[in-house]
Structures are given as structure tokens and as C-alpha cells.
Amino acid sequence: MDPTHSHDDALQIGGRSFHSRLITGTGKYPSLEAMQHSLQRSGCEMVTVAVRRVQAVAEGHAGLMEAIDWSRIWMLPNTAGCTNAEEAVRVARLGRELAKLAGQDNNFVKLEVIPDSRHLLPDPFGTLEAAEILVKEGFTVLPYINADPLLAKRLEHVGCATVMPLGSPIGSGQGLRNAANIGLIIENARVPVVVDAGIGVPSDAAQAMEMGADAVLINSAIALAGQPPLMAEAMANAVQAGRQSLLAGRLPTRADASPSSPTSGRING
């Protein structure tokens, strides 16, 4: 069985079921062939596509639409490059049309509103404004946010299908620097929580899943690895291991040692 798939533990987003809890991206790969092999070995069922870059045929995106089997993989158009709510809403509408070209009746959008070109931190006010508009227009909105528990709850209340807190800045590979706040978001959320951005190695992905995240989104850590397909498989295994660990229930931590062997029936010398 594929390491990311468990048919009795599906992820539900926007009325769709996904058996893989690893979402990947389509940017930064050294070649389209490397991307194709990575998607295959990741076992992912949903990938993000930067609408503006595809439309502009940006470097690395030429031929992207034709390189992916859209009958098998669900498109998650994203609003990367948008600096305010108005831009994000417009690009989300274009993303819906892009999905139609791929043969999908698809209202999903990964909402990104990022005016900060240095640290690439999302704008909470613009994100909330755009989310309210897009939800009213029938979009399944997956908003990318800082690890802010209050904002996550507000976005849930306006009808977002998930919340996507960042583990650390995009592409930084710093891991879960915001683990405490992500934990609060997970504890209080009534929609799936997808940890997005900052995951650098498989242990980061496993940690997010062990904390109770419903899924992770990983792009740079796979695409910029020395061997992207191998890293994609490693991330898939980590996501599955973290999920299984959560469901299994870890042993309680203790302040002192506890012997693993039984203490009854010992021979006293």
C-alpha cells in the first residue's frame, strides 16, 4: 500500500476525500521530469499551482499544465504574488478557470495575500477580507496565515474550509518555529489544519502530524533537495508515520525512569 494512503482515514476538505495527507507544490524543481517523478513518489493527490506564474509562462512553469495527470491529481490554484485582497480575489477567479482547462469542476483556492517581499509573511487583514468575498462566491478557501490562533478561528467562522498556519517563513527550512501557536490552532479548530511553509526535513513533517495537524504542504524541501523524488518519498513516509503515531497514542512522559521488564518474579541473590 502507498505509504501516504489509508482508506479508512481520509482527509475531508470541501466535500472531497483525500487519502494522502501530503500536499505538494509545482515550483522550484530543476526540471518538469523531476517534478513528475517527485509527485509520483510522494503519493500526493493535490498540488498547488501558482496561477499568475502559469499564465505568464514564468521560468520553470512552461509545460506545467501538460506535465500533470489532472485526472488523478486535484489542482489547488494559489494566489501567490498577490499583495492585497483585490488582487487575490481576481487571481482566485482566474484559478477557477485554469482548473476548468484541466477538466476539473474545481472551486478550491489556496489564498495567499503577501505584501511583504522580504520575509513573505501573509497579511492577516487582507487575507480575511479576501476570504470573506471568496467564500460568498462559493470558493473552497484554504487560507495561508501566520500561526495566529485568533485569526484562524475568525477565518473558520467566515467559512474557510481549512486554515494553513506557517511553521516558519516560506522556503526557510527552519521547521516548526511556531509549534506552540500551531498547537493552539489545532486544539481549537473545527476544520482541517494544514501546516504550510518552513518544513525542511521529514522529521518536521512527522512532528506536525504527531501534533495533530491534518495535513502538511511541502514544496521547497522536496523541489530543492539533492534528489527530489527520493525526498518526496521520505516526506510521504514521515507524514504517514506521524499520523499513525497520533492515532496510536504515545506513552505518557514521566519525570523518572520506568523499567521495561517486569519486576515480579525476580531471582534475589
Side-chain angles (χ1 to χ4, degrees):
M1 185 176 69
D2 189 293
T4 63
H5 290 191
S6 178
H7 291 280
D8 58 352
D9 183 37
L11 171 65
Q12 303 288 335
I13 300 177
R16 291 188 65 87
S17 294
F18 299 93
H19 299 293
S20 172
R21 291 174 180 268
L22 172 60
I23 305 168
T24 64
T26 52
K28 301 184 178 179
Y29 285 92
S31 67
L32 286 177
E33 184 180 21
M35 181 200 70
Q36 289 173 316
H37 290 161
S38 298
L39 296 186
Q40 182 180 11
R41 290 180 68 172
S42 75
C44 72
E45 296 174 304
M46 178 159 52
V47 299
T48 62
V49 174
V51 176
R52 297 180 75 167
R53 295 189 183 114
V54 169
Q55 287 198 320
V57 195
E59 183 179 356
H61 287 72
L64 174 66
M65 292 295 291
E66 296 76 22
I68 295 175
D69 181 359
W70 297 116
S71 67
R72 188 182 69 81
I73 293 180
W74 191 246
M75 187 190 299
L76 177 57
N78 71 47
T79 63
C82 294
T83 61
N84 57 57
E86 182 181 359
E87 280 185 313
V89 170
R90 185 170 65 251
V91 171
R93 293 168 181 156
L94 293 173
R96 181 165 53 189
E97 297 306 310
L98 186 67
K100 286 181 181 178
L101 293 176
Q104 297 182 359
D105 182 13
N106 182 344
N107 285 322
F108 277 49
V109 62
K110 181 191 174 191
L111 175 60
E112 300 182 26
V113 181
I114 303 178
D116 169 20
S117 61
R118 180 182 177 189
H119 301 290
L120 299 177
L121 296 174
D123 174 8
F125 307 104
T127 300
L128 181 60
E129 180 185 350
E132 289 176 326
I133 295 169
L134 291 170
V135 168
K136 289 177 181 176
E137 292 188 8
F139 281 88
T140 298
V141 181
L142 291 74
Y144 170 63
I145 62 171
N146 286 297
D148 181 340
L150 296 178
L151 175 61
K153 206 63 187 174
R154 183 69 182 272
L155 287 163
E156 180 184 326
H157 285 161
V158 303
C160 289
T162 71
V163 289
M164 304 180 74
L166 58 86
S168 54
I170 295 173
S172 69
Q174 295 178 21
L176 303 188
R177 292 295 183 90
N178 300 315
N181 275 14
I182 290 172
L184 291 174
I185 291 171
I186 291 169
E187 180 182 344
N188 292 294
R190 296 295 177 267
V191 295
V193 177
V194 181
V195 174
D196 180 15
I199 289 176
V201 290
S203 56
D204 296 333
Q207 180 187 358
M209 299 303 294
E210 288 173 344
M211 289 172 58
D214 296 279
V216 295
L217 196 159
I218 305 171
N219 185 44
S220 296
I222 296 174
L224 299 179
Q227 298 183 52
L230 183 58
M231 182 60 79
E233 184 174 342
M235 289 295 186
N237 289 329
V239 169
Q240 181 68 3
R243 180 66 179 177
Q244 289 177 332
S245 175
L246 175 73
L247 296 177
R250 61 156 295 156
L251 82 164
T253 56
R254 297 168 55 98
D256 53 357
S258 175
S260 57
S261 301
T263 57
S264 60
R266 290 184 299 182
I267 298 174
N268 296 317

